[in-house]
Amino acid sequence: MNEEYVPEHDSPLDGGLEAEAKATHRRCIVTRTEGLPAEMVRFAISPAGVLVPDLDARLPGRGIWLSARRDVIEQARIRGAFARAARMQLQVPDDLPTQVEAGLLRRMIEIVGLARRAGQAVSGFVKVREWMAQHRVGAIVHALDGSREERDRLLSGGRDIPVIETLTSVELARIFGRERVVNVALAAGGLATRLCNENKRFAGVSQDSSRVLPDLSGGRV
């Protein structure tokens, strides 16, 4: 297969990571729609010919891109779209959508943990409000099982900040080493942006309805 970079509008495959860095959009091999790489899902092929999710787009070789939607991933798996795009026989796991979902959730937890260790995240109602007053917040994480009343009090009088309600209080508590954590603020910057992007991808592929609430108004992402 020719390894020379081919623009995405000509091929569903990327030309390696160097070419990938030059591209601003990717095209889904199923829907044929274009999107930003950070909002899509890349798949790579292992040396053994197994298709694997490459959620941070760092694995070597040519990649295959899909819209971050569970139905699109399942359609590609069932209809052999991966093999056609790669022009070779592939082993495609039956639980591929679930692998993507679990991987994205794990990435969200890791990003919040990284922000905490870097001093770019605080937990607790009072601390989050303090950061909001100082205009330091790039994203707020409110526990999925937290109360809507507390969420509304937290955001009252605040500016329009993205609010993520995907992680549970138990998952947040593990990150911060506490018994229970409901409210978290991430400082404005790269980690907050990454968390918002991962949450959007997760919402598209999640099968767990309790993880994705239908009302996205009021600054939620």
Side-chain angles (χ1 to χ4, degrees):
M1 189 184 300
N2 185 4
E3 293 297 327
E4 183 179 357
Y5 174 63
V6 179
E8 185 60 28
H9 63 271
D10 290 332
S11 171
L13 299 180
D14 66 83
L17 299 186
E18 180 179 353
E20 196 163 84
K22 300 177 182 178
T24 56
H25 289 79
R26 288 296 172 198
R27 176 171 290 179
C28 173
I29 65 169
V30 173
T31 66
R32 308 306 297 170
T33 57
E34 293 187 349
L36 295 172
E39 299 174 353
M40 301 177 69
V41 179
R42 183 183 192 264
F43 296 86
I45 303 169
S46 75
V50 179
L51 188 79
V52 295
D54 181 19
L55 300 179
D56 56 0
R58 291 184 178 180
L59 293 178
R62 291 177 173 267
I64 302 173
W65 291 84
L66 287 181
S67 301
R69 287 169 37 193
R70 192 179 191 90
D71 62 326
V72 170
I73 298 172
E74 186 65 14
Q75 183 177 343
R77 184 189 70 82
I78 294 175
R79 299 187 178 181
F82 291 114
R84 288 195 300 273
R87 301 186 182 95
M88 61 181 290
Q89 292 295 318
L90 299 175
Q91 298 180 43
V92 181
D94 292 339
D95 64 343
L96 189 63
T98 300
Q99 288 186 22
V100 175
E101 177 182 355
L104 290 173
L105 181 63
R106 183 167 56 249
R107 285 172 63 81
M108 293 180 66
I109 293 173
E110 290 172 351
I111 290 171
V112 176
L114 179 60
R116 181 194 65 78
R117 293 191 297 274
Q120 297 183 32
V122 293
S123 65
F125 187 96
V126 174
K127 290 184 179 179
V128 171
R129 287 290 296 182
E130 288 176 353
W131 273 32
M132 290 174 63
Q134 298 166 7
H135 304 289
R136 298 178 59 183
V137 181
I140 289 175
V141 182
H142 181 72
L144 179 65
D145 51 335
S147 73
R148 179 52 60 99
E149 291 76 15
E150 182 174 348
R151 173 187 179 274
D152 292 342
R153 285 193 297 110
L154 182 71
L155 298 178
S156 68
R159 57 194 177 92
D160 189 17
I161 303 172
V163 180
I164 295 169
E165 297 180 78
T166 302
L167 304 180
T168 67
S169 60
V170 172
E171 290 164 340
L172 293 174
R174 289 172 181 164
I175 295 172
F176 286 86
R178 298 171 57 182
E179 291 186 4
R180 178 177 169 83
V181 172
V182 175
N183 300 300
V184 172
L186 270 68
L191 290 176
T193 298
R194 283 173 54 190
L195 183 63
C196 290
N197 287 336
E198 298 296 3
N199 188 63
K200 290 178 182 177
R201 293 204 295 176
F202 180 83
V205 303
S206 178
Q207 191 176 33
D208 185 354
S209 59
S210 69
R211 289 276 187 180
V212 183
L213 302 180
D215 179 15
L216 300 183
S217 61
R220 292 189 55 198
V221 296

